[in-house]
């Protein structure tokens, strides 16, 4: 439901004409899309979400599932677009690394928050006995991944619109190589070597 609310907010902003058939620019769509997505996400969770049994736990966990992924998405996209304009086309090589760091840091934050607010609090665990609170962690991680992929598509779109040239292939090829290296275990081996 949250992703439908976010998608609807973004679609409405992209399709609504402003004047003489023109549409909002990229940054207004980006800013308004994030604000509307956050507001609609909070509305959907408050109306359709599960019953709140521990207010402290809910108030700490809900932002981790809704706000932090959206805020991280905004930071990544705005940061990359700014770097792209300053450093040029070759910054596209770093796009996969930037998105992976966003997902990795977001996942660490979600896991730590869940451990601190749920696993170490007996009263909260007893309040939610018989429920699957791990689904909240899964939902937050899925939102982080979905928004990272959305950021990738947004950034590729912006690159393609602003620079209609073969330079769009730089972040695409970099992303393919990054995914191959991750899938064959290169990052695990690299982190093992660095941490020893």
């Amino acid at each position: 439901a949250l992703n439908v609310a976010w998608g609807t907010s973004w679609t409405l902003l992209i399709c609504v004409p402003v004047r003489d058939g023109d549409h909002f620019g990229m940054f207004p769509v980006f800013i308004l899309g994030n604000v509307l997505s956050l507001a609609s996400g909070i509305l959907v969770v408050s109306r359709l979400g599960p019953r709140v049994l521990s207010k402290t736990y809910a108030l700490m966990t809900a932002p981790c599932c809704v706000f932090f992924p959206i805020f991280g998405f905004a930071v990544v996209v705005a940061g990359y677009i700014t770097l792209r304009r300053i450093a040029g086309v070759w910054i596209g090589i770093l796009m996969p690394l930037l998105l992976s760091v966003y997902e990795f840091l977001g996942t660490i934050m979600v896991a730590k928050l869940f451990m601190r607010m749920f696993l170490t609090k007996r009263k909260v665990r007893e309040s939610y006995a018989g429920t699957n609170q791990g689904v909240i962690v899964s939902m937050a991680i899925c939102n982080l991944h979905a928004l990272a992929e959305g950021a990738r598509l947004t950034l590729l779109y912006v690159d393609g619109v602003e620079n209609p040239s073969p330079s769009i292939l730089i972040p695409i090829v970099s992303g393919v190589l990054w995914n191959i290296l991750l899938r064959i275990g290169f990052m695990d081996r690299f982190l093992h070597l660095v941490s020893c």
Side-chain angles (χ1 to χ4, degrees), residues 27 78-92 159 162-163:
F27 276 110
Y80 178 83
I81 289 172
T82 303
L83 285 173
R84 172 74 166 78
R85 289 185 177 159
I86 293 169
V89 70
W90 293 101
I91 200 73
D159 266 354
E162 289 185 354
N163 305 302

Side-chain angles (χ1 to χ4, degrees), residues 44-127:
V44 167
V45 168
S46 67
R47 298 288 179 229
L48 303 175
R51 212 165 34 102
V52 174
L53 303 174
S54 170
K55 265 195 174 180
T56 307
Y57 170 66
L59 289 174
M60 289 298 290
T61 308
C64 133
C65 296
V66 179
F67 177 70
F68 294 140
I70 292 174
F71 180 74
F73 172 85
V75 168
V76 166
V77 170
Y80 178 83
I81 289 172
T82 303
L83 285 173
R84 172 74 166 78
R85 289 185 177 159
I86 293 169
V89 70
W90 293 101
I91 200 73
I93 292 173
L94 298 178
M95 183 194 295
L97 177 63
L98 183 67
L99 295 172
S100 293
V101 166
Y102 158 68
E103 280 190 76
F104 185 68
L105 292 177
T107 301
I108 288 172
M109 183 186 65
V110 167
K112 284 188 175 196
L113 183 70
F114 184 72
M115 287 190 315
R116 189 179 76 221
M117 296 305 298
F118 185 77
L119 294 179
T120 61
K121 306 274 186 196
R122 183 180 191 142
K123 187 177 178 183
V124 174
R125 283 195 325 267
E126 288 172 353
S127 297

Side-chain angles (χ1 to χ4, degrees), residues 19-46:
R19 63 175 188 276
D20 300 329
D22 287 340
H23 297 282
F24 286 111
M26 190 64 193
F27 276 110
V29 166
F30 177 69
I31 292 167
L32 289 172
N34 281 322
V35 168
L36 287 176
S37 296
L38 181 61
S40 61
I42 291 170
L43 182 67
V44 167
V45 168
S46 67

Side-chain angles (χ1 to χ4, degrees), residues 121-193:
K121 306 274 186 196
R122 183 180 191 142
K123 187 177 178 183
V124 174
R125 283 195 325 267
E126 288 172 353
S127 297
Y128 287 96
T131 64
N132 180 6
Q133 290 302 299
V135 118
I136 291 172
V137 174
S138 298
M139 184 177 85
I141 292 171
C142 287
N143 280 337
L144 284 163
H145 181 68
L147 288 169
E149 292 302 326
R152 180 185 324 275
L153 293 174
T154 302
L155 295 173
L156 289 172
Y157 173 75
V158 169
D159 266 354
V161 168
E162 289 185 354
N163 305 302
S165 70
S167 66
I168 187 88
L169 293 175
I170 292 171
I172 293 172
V173 169
S174 174
V176 169
L177 291 174
W178 182 258
N179 281 328
I180 290 170
L181 289 174
L182 286 176
R183 303 272 188 291
I184 64 171
F186 172 78
M187 189 54 68
D188 295 335
R189 289 184 189 102
F190 176 73
L191 290 174
H192 175 72
L193 289 173

